[in-house]
Structure formats: structure tokens, C-alpha cells
Amino acid sequence: MTDYPNLFSPMRIGPKTAKNRIWMTAHSTQLVKDHNFSDAHVHYYAERAKGGVGVITMEAMAVHPTTQPYKGKIFAFDKAVVPNYRKLAAAVREYDCLLLAQPWHRGRETSGQVNRLPVWAPSSVPCAVYREMPHVLTEEEIGELVQGYVLAARYAVEGDLDGVEVHGLAHGYLLGQFLSPATNHRDDKYGGDFDRRLSLVLEIVEKTRAETGRDKIVGVRINGNDGDVPGGLTNEHWTRIARTIADTGLVDYISVTQGTYLERMNIYGATPKPAGFQVEDTARIKAAVPELPVVVAGRMNTPELAEQVLASGGADMIGMARTLIADPEWPNKARDGKANSIRPCVGANWCLASIVNSPLACVHNPAVAREAELGVGTLLPVETVKRVAVVGGGPAGLRTALTAAQRGHHVTLFEQESELGGQVRLIGRSETYAEWQGITDWLISQLGETSVDVKLGHRVEATELLSGYDEVVVATGSTPLKHGWSSLRPASWGDGTIVPGVDQWNVHSIKEVLEGKAEIGPRVMIFDDTGARQPLVAAEYLADRRHAVTLVTRLPQVSPDLEASRDLQSTYRRARNKGIRFITDHELAEVVEDTVVLRDVWTGELVPHEDVDAVVLSTGNRADDALFHALRGSVPVRAVGDCVSPRRVFNAIWEGELAGRDI
Ligand SMILES: Cc1cc2nc3c(=O)[nH]c(=O)nc-3n(C[C@H](O)[C@H](O)[C@H](O)COP(=O)(O)O)c2cc1C
Ligand code: SF4
């Protein structure tokens, strides 16, 4: 008997039955090889099917060569996908899971940089993110597009998939661009009033169904609303679209999502976007199409929330992308009363950042896209049990200790502070990023299931480790640099000099701010040289405490790294609404009591800013590798995480996992 009876009840989807109400919504994996699936794809999807999900919609696949934002897109219109569909279908069917393809076209929301082709759109309105002026589709080209959807459906059937989810209406993609009067200025049969703007979608749905017949599932993915953006379609518009599509009698379900590239946090809301943020709009769509199964998505992170939404009738299926990236075993754990051991999706959006240049990754699930080597069931017991000392209880040390202990080693974990968690614990002190603490909370809770001996408040010396252990893993982290130089002045970094005045009492590091160790006056200037998220974390933390914050960067943009995790827009909006001022293209020249002198990086002009009570430096970290070097040659020792070189949480956990498996 499960605690979640609605979640684990079957559901009829057209001609097929899903074993439960959990639906893995589509997400790019970037595991693509030559516009086709790879073996890694089979492992990726099979892992989620094995973890208990009822239905999987695979990643969006191109219906035409003009839709290729990065190299890694599958060509759903190419018959070469068929043998791989068969492999995938067989792999997930073993676990009684349904598998669908998701044909789509991005329209203007892309660039022609990779494929060297013009970007397609209904009218010449560029996307705010890619800013490429699109080619206005001729009726002949629209015919090619429709044919792409037809071929995609045909090959899905030939490949033995369970069906097709027509994509491109949601997220502001090409069919959505036809639907919205803001982006469709045509006066032919595809533009003008509501019916004409919807006609292309209906034509594609009709032709898709003609290909699949009634034995396969056909669904559509729509928005619940586009977000609070100029010209966006509202929930009312989408409800009408859903009703009209349902009236055709040709679709078996409707999957609801949100947002366009004008406000991407409505698509995949990063923390602090609340759990279930798309439930309300989805429930209104459900009410308009009571006869069809409706899928809700958007941080549906806990079985309690899923059960509650199903019980309320707001949706019939619970859609999850990141929830299952972070923990493919989520369904089985929820079903078997082990919900406490679910590795939570903390909304860090490293997954989105990762796919810009490489295969999908998760900030704290190292097995993502590496399922064959690191997935469920690959952790084997050791033949020779060793006594292992891990020094440092941040994410790298925690992950090493956990993995090594799970394999059967006897592990002692030393942490000099009174708490585990390292820098993640500090970031988690900010209200905005409190959820990130779930990364280390989960590791700590898992550690509690092992026999790891945790020694808190214990600053370990090299001499203590020379005997009594077969291996030592150093995970001693890093310390913020406080010399004040920007990386534009490399000669100054190593020579021990400092920017004049940064040794004053009122100059601090972000770490000192978040630890609550710094006395910070009301007016604060943060200087950033990294382009990373940390300066914004500190800025929001201080603004939330009523400090007037100015964030200065020597870069042309504040924290450009956030573009990859897709939360740059929402973070800027939040920061600016909290009153945080941005100054770009300036570095720190001097601090004189409460005057900060900035230097324009292009002209060299010195600009004094008076009445600054506190200065916070974000100029990178130095690896704390002294213990590692003291032990080298005396005991078997390795280093992981920031003490090798200060990087991201992802790298720390990744290296901890590899070390834990290698010992
Ligand atoms: C890395 C990533 C890639 C995505 N790619 C797609 C896609 O190809 N097609 C699609 O319909 N949605 C895509 N999405 C959106 C998800 O399907 C889902 O609607 C969204 O992430 C919200 O659900 P979640 O909070 O469970 O992640 C993607 C999401 C992520 C995180
Ligand atoms: S990287 Fe963050 S947002 Fe993405 S799946 Fe992992 S925990 Fe969730």
C-alpha cells in the first residue's frame, strides 16, 4: 500500500495505459551523435524507466534542418532514427513505461550560427535572446515544415514508439509564433484572426494523426500562459487554444507548460521559484478540457504536492524534468515509502547551463548522462576494506566519504567547523538560495545511513594522518582572495601586493558577509571580477537586510554566467527591484576610508564614490592545498574539489564521486 494512491493509480492515455501518473517531460540531453541517438541515450532513458516513471516524452527533435540551436539535435524527419527508436522502446518497455517522440521547430528562438541557415518565423520579428532577424516563411516552406512533422510521426510509428507529442506551440517556438499576434503579422491563410493563426497547428495535428492511426498516442504541448511579457498569450488565450484542439477529437492528452524566451524562468524556474508554480494555470486548462488527460509540470518536486494536485483534479498526470534528472528513482522511492531519500532538485539549473556546450549534467547527481558507468546499481562493494580519512566536510568531502562508505570502506570525516556543508551551507544562508542547502543536507542525511565517523570541530594536522589510515582524501576547499586586483592585472596577483586600502577594516569577502562575521554599514559596494553568481548572492543577501548595495564589475555585464543557467533575466529583475545598482566596466583602484575609487577599464579614468560604508570583494579563491602537499610522499593521498582548484559545486561533487569509487 502506497502513501500516494492517486499518484500510483493507472491512467488511460488514448489507446494506451500509463502504469502511474508520473510523466517525464521532454528535456535535451545533448547526447546526440550525428543528429541521431547514441547508446548513452538508451541508458539515460532506461535509467528513468527503471526508476519507475510511467511515461517518457523524449527530448525535442527537429522537424527541419533550420532548427538547430546547438550541434546536438536529433533529426526526427530522417529515417535513420527508426532503428534507435526501436532500441529505446525496447529498453523502457522492459519497465512498463510508455515512450513518445517530441517533434518541434524553434522558429526564431534560435540562431543560424551552427547550421548556417536562415532562422524561420511567420514574420520578421527577431527573438529578444538570439536577436537574429528571421526569414519570413513562404507557404511552400510552411508545407516543408508540415511534411517534417508528418515524417516525424511516420518514423515514430515505424520505430515502435507509443506515440508523438507535437511540440512547438509552447515556449514561444515556431507554432507558438504563429499563434501569437505579437509575432504573426501575416495576412495569408496562416495569419490574421484566432482561427487563421491556429490553422497551422490544426493542420499538423490532423496530419500527425493521419500518420499514427488510432493505435498510437498523439498529444500536444501548450503553454498555460506565456508569462508577464509584452504581447504574450495569456491563460485565457491558451485555454481557448486547448479547447479548440480538443474539439478536433484528434489528440489524446494535453501537456501544459509555461513561458517563452522573453521570460525563461516561467519555463524552468530556478530557485526561488516555488514548487508547483504552473499548477494554477494548468488547472484552468484542465477545467476547459475535462475529457482529456492533462499533464502539469514545473517544480513538481515532492510526492505530497503531486498527490495533492491529482486529488484536487487540477491535473491528471504529474510532469517532471529536473525532478527526475536529479533523482531517476524518485517514483520508486515515493511508491516504496522512501520519499525521505529522494535527492531533491534544488533549482540550481546547472542542468541547463551544462547543455550549452556538453551533455546534460546535474549539480549533485554525478551519474546524469553517465548512467552506464555511474548509474543505479553500478556501485560495487569493495574487495579490500580500507581505513579512509577524508579531510573537509564540504560537498567534495561529503560526496567522497559517502561513496567510499557505501562501497564498504571504513571512513572518518574530519571537519574543522562545527557544521558540515562548506560553501554550499553559506550560500544557503541567503533567503533566495536557501534551497541550495538541499545539496549538502541530502549528502549529510545519506551519510547518516552509513557508518562514517564524523569528527566536527576538528582541525586535523598532517601528523595525525601519517598512521592509522590506508588512504587520505584532502577536500580542504579554498579561501577567498582579498588582494582586490582584477584579473586584468595578472602581474599583481602573485607578488603579494594589494589594491591600496583593501586592508582596511571595512573591506570583506563574500564568505565573511554570509558567515555573519563582518560588520557591514548601510551602504555597500561589491566588487566582482569573476562573472559568477556569488556577487549577486551577496548583493541580494545584503539588500534583503536593508543595505543599499552597488555591484561593480570590471566585465561589461554583471554575472554573465547566469545566461547559461537561464536565470539571468529573472535574477537581474529581482536584484534591480531590490534597489541593487549595477556599475559595469570598472575595476577597483583604491579604497580611502569611506571613499572607493573605481577605474574605467577602457579609458583609465578614475571615478571616486563617496560614503561607502563597506566594500565586499569577489575576486576568486585560493586553493587550500597545504595539507595535501604536507602529506604527499608520506601516505597514499589525493585531493578533490576546491583544494585542487577552486571551481563550482558540480566539480566538487563530481570529483568526490570519482574518488569515492576509485579508493
Ligand atoms: C535541460 C532542460 C531541457 C529542456 N528541454 C525541453 C524540451 O526539449 N522540450 C520541452 O517540451 N521542454 C523542455 N524542457 C522543459 C521541461 O520539460 C519542463 O517543462 C520544465 O523543466 C519544468 O519542469 P521541471 O521543474 O520538472 O524541470 C527542458 C527543461 C530542462 C531543464
Ligand atoms: S542541476 Fe539543479 S535544477 Fe538541474 S536537475 Fe540538478 S538540482 Fe535540479
Side-chain angles (χ1 to χ4, degrees), residues 268-271 299 301 321-327 343-352 354 360-365 368 436 439:
Y268 11 63
T271 178
R299 310 215 69 204
N301 291 344
R322 290 168 298 173
T323 310
L324 294 173
I325 296 173
D327 194 341
R343 176 174 26 220
C345 170
V346 299
N349 277 8
W350 178 248
C351 44
L352 283 150
S354 67
L360 187 67
C362 169
V363 68
H364 67 145
N365 178 2
V368 171
W436 282 41
I439 296 172

Side-chain angles (χ1 to χ4, degrees), residues 25-28 59-60 102 165 167 171 221 257 267-268 277-278 297-300 319-323 325 351-352 355 360:
T25 58
H27 52 272
S28 317
E59 60 213 78
Q102 196 193 47
E165 179 172 290
H167 189 34
H171 302 164
R221 196 155 206 220
T257 169
I267 305 178
Y268 11 63
F277 67 94
Q278 300 177 358
R299 310 215 69 204
M300 297 299 296
M320 301 172 179
R322 290 168 298 173
T323 310
I325 296 173
C351 44
L352 283 150
I355 58 169
L360 187 67

Side-chain angles (χ1 to χ4, degrees), residues 3-4 303-304 330 333-343:
D3 292 338
Y4 312 104
E304 287 74 21
W330 191 104
K333 286 178 178 174
R335 184 196 59 199
D336 300 340
K338 294 179 183 158
N340 284 346
S341 67
I342 289 172
R343 176 174 26 220

